[in-house]
Amino acid sequence: MSSPARPALDPELNALLAGVPLVPAITPQLLTQLRGMPSTPVEDLLEGRAVERREVMVPATDGAGIPMTVLTPAGAGPAAPCVYWMHGGGMIMGDRFSQLDIPLEWLDLLGAVVVTVDYRLAPEAGGATPVEDCYRGLQWIAGHAGDLGIDPGRVVVAGASAGGGLAAGVTLMARDRGTPPIAAQVLICPMLDHRNTTTSSRQYAGEPGVWTRESNEFAWNAVLGGLDGDRVPAYVSPATAEDLSGLPATYIDAGSAEVFRDEDVEYATRIWAAGGQAELHVWAGGFHGFDALFPQAGLSAAARQTRTGWLTRTLDAG
């Protein structure tokens, strides 16, 4: 059977992707290997930056410790904006320094304090544990705004892929629980829908890729542990939330050539339908995580600049 038609990849990204080992699906054995691969040391990411680094341990609701890192630019004022970062990795891999170069651009350009969280991973800690860990981190930030030198009215939650989904879930939690306030959410190719049934999810199945429908199914099964239907909390799978009203200003972007394209477009559409404000960008020819994997590519630079421009305007307006 022939593969379904797919949007063409951006030529520059397509050439770069030729050197990347792709897999048709994550398996338990491959997950073990991926978790064992060394990540870029945070010291390398911070090299050349005048940044104060602080490590904290925040207690989770069950008493476990949640490691968090606070990165404060030198010379930050007493009321700096704050970006609370949730990393990607399907909620099954990665750590608080994954994709950190993205929020570090906002530290450089906007003088933002960046706080990043090591939420617990599935399958060892599935269900609502990852998003509840992230929410506890947000509560800690709000409770220590003065010590952190941040403006509690300018806290942005942001994340890529699974981190984008967690940021969306945390934003729903904060709305429903009435605190803390969130100025904006930045959802970068977010993982929003456990149902995995969109046209784009079916397009990116059956052959190797950066993130395939099969890998997505593996990750969601690890998170949900057999939960399905109405038993899946909307905070875990935000696309299932019945009400998307009352959310802060929202930025969503994705590539046209990725699994999450359609669920991300639908999420923005539903925010508009509820009377909310969302900015949506679908980058033609972008695969999943293209701007994190190849930040110097032309399309990646455009995506990052556009995202930063939106965040600058939003914080200034606030």
Side-chain angles (χ1 to χ4, degrees), residues 294-310:
F294 298 115
Q296 302 308 317
L299 193 69
S300 302
R304 286 180 175 235
Q305 290 166 8
T306 301
R307 198 183 295 142
T308 298
W310 178 88

Side-chain angles (χ1 to χ4, degrees), residues 219-244:
W220 276 117
N221 285 338
V223 173
L224 298 176
L227 287 179
D228 58 16
D230 294 339
R231 296 186 298 161
V232 177
Y235 300 138
V236 178
S237 183
T240 65
E242 294 183 3
D243 179 14
L244 295 185

Side-chain angles (χ1 to χ4, degrees), residues 92-114:
I92 56 175
M93 57 187 170
D95 61 30
R96 65 190 182 280
F97 305 126
S98 301
Q99 305 96 35
L100 191 62
D101 61 300
I102 295 175
L104 283 177
E105 288 190 6
W106 302 329
L107 180 149
D108 294 338
L109 298 173
L110 306 179
V113 175
V114 172

Side-chain angles (χ1 to χ4, degrees), residues 282-295:
V282 179
W283 296 97
F287 54 80
H288 183 65
F290 67 94
D291 76 289
L293 195 56
F294 298 115

Side-chain angles (χ1 to χ4, degrees), residues 26-37 92-93 218:
I26 294 178
T27 63
Q29 295 76 19
L30 180 58
L31 178 60
T32 299
Q33 295 175 25
L34 292 171
R35 285 181 170 185
M37 293 176 63
I92 56 175
M93 57 187 170
F218 176 89

